[in-house]
Amino acid sequence: MDILLKFPKEENYEKTEKFAQELGSLHLRKKEYNLAIQNYRICLETKMKRFGLSHSELISTLNILADIYYQQEKYNDALVCYNQSYRMIVKTGMQQQQQDTQLIQVYWKIGLIYKHKKSWSEALKYFSKTLKTVKVAFQNSKEKFIPIYKEIGEVYYNMGTYEDSIKFFKKAIKTEKELLGDSASNNLEIYLKIVNLYDPRYPFS
């Protein structure tokens, strides 16, 4: 049975928003994705009535909706939500650190979507934006660079641009070893890819 119903009166936007968000979260935990979407959309529409069409309060709900669509492999719907979120982030005038953190999340997720869609040039574009923003916002947190290097290396691998692929896999390995020393993982998957790509023109010593 659908537990959606009996919302507070329309004019009581705050209660409606809270109620819809709680129901959305409940359905999401139960992996009832369509009902979760239904409730989070009510939450989003109510926030638009409360705050207007371009407000930072909308960003978290847009990202949740995008994440659900992503889990359902509805990548085009997820892209719509992430792109709306991006526009809100750059328009709402939040502090730079907060803006960068939000942008990193959105760029990363958009990159993953394009990777799943095998749109390699778009995936590369957004992973590169992620890396650039991370290096500015978290320049002393090099551990955050490693997964991005790996993804960029994999995209280049799938594009057949093997020299660049090796370059980014090596960056991932080097950064991890700098941070962890002897306790660094062997990164077997990455090493195997480098071996598979090996070409005498591109020695990886």
Side-chain angles (χ1 to χ4, degrees):
M1 178 174 144
D2 186 356
I3 57 173
L4 230 188
L5 308 156
K6 295 200 174 175
F7 280 88
K9 292 182 180 178
E10 184 177 282
E11 62 267 18
N12 197 336
Y13 294 143
E14 189 172 356
K15 285 186 179 179
T16 303
E17 175 195 323
K18 183 178 179 182
F19 189 47
Q21 186 164 317
E22 288 175 353
L23 282 176
S25 178
L26 174 62
H27 286 303
L28 185 55
R29 288 197 300 272
K30 294 169 70 176
K31 297 186 178 180
E32 297 170 345
Y33 295 128
N34 289 334
L35 289 173
I37 287 168
Q38 191 173 352
N39 282 282
Y40 278 116
R41 289 195 70 85
I42 291 170
C43 179
L44 180 65
E45 289 163 8
T46 309
K47 283 184 175 183
M48 287 177 176
K49 291 175 183 177
R50 285 184 70 197
F51 301 108
L53 299 180
S54 295
H55 195 281
S56 60
E57 286 289 333
L58 279 61
I59 294 168
S60 60
T61 308
L62 282 166
N63 288 343
I64 291 170
L65 280 166
D67 288 345
I68 298 171
Y69 285 130
Y70 179 84
Q71 290 180 63
Q72 292 185 304
E73 299 184 1
K74 295 180 178 178
Y75 297 131
N76 290 334
D77 291 330
L79 278 174
V80 168
C81 291
Y82 283 132
N83 282 321
Q84 287 180 332
S85 178
Y86 167 78
R87 288 194 290 273
M88 303 281 179
I89 292 166
V90 297
K91 280 182 179 180
T92 51
M94 59 183 69
Q95 293 183 348
Q96 190 64 49
Q97 183 72 28
Q98 184 184 7
Q99 184 182 82
D100 287 342
T101 301
Q102 297 270 8
L103 285 173
I104 288 163
Q105 178 185 356
V106 170
Y107 289 153
W108 177 253
K109 290 294 183 65
I110 292 176
L112 290 175
I113 288 172
Y114 281 121
K115 178 185 170 185
H116 283 293
K117 288 165 67 75
K118 301 187 188 305
S119 299
W120 306 120
S121 60
E122 287 298 305
L124 178 61
K125 173 182 171 182
Y126 282 95
F127 287 140
S128 297
K129 284 177 181 250
T130 307
L131 182 61
K132 181 179 178 181
T133 310
V134 166
K135 283 189 170 181
V136 170
F138 300 101
Q139 56 187 301
N140 296 320
S141 300
K142 290 188 176 181
E143 70 279 0
K144 296 181 184 293
F145 304 171
I146 297 169
I148 310 171
Y149 287 149
K150 290 178 181 177
E151 289 293 348
I152 293 175
E154 194 167 332
V155 169
Y156 276 127
Y157 172 81
N158 285 297
M159 293 173 75
T161 313
Y162 299 136
E163 185 175 11
D164 289 324
S165 180
I166 289 172
K167 173 183 170 184
F168 278 91
F169 286 143
K170 286 168 69 176
K171 282 187 176 186
I173 293 165
K174 180 182 177 185
T175 305
E176 189 167 277
K177 285 189 172 180
E178 285 175 355
L179 293 172
L180 300 176
D182 292 338
S183 63
S185 69
N186 288 328
N187 287 298
L188 288 176
E189 184 180 353
I190 294 176
Y191 278 116
L192 284 172
K193 283 183 176 175
I194 292 176
V195 171
N196 288 335
L197 297 173
Y198 180 71
D199 185 310
R201 293 173 299 171
Y202 311 133
F204 57 92
S205 58

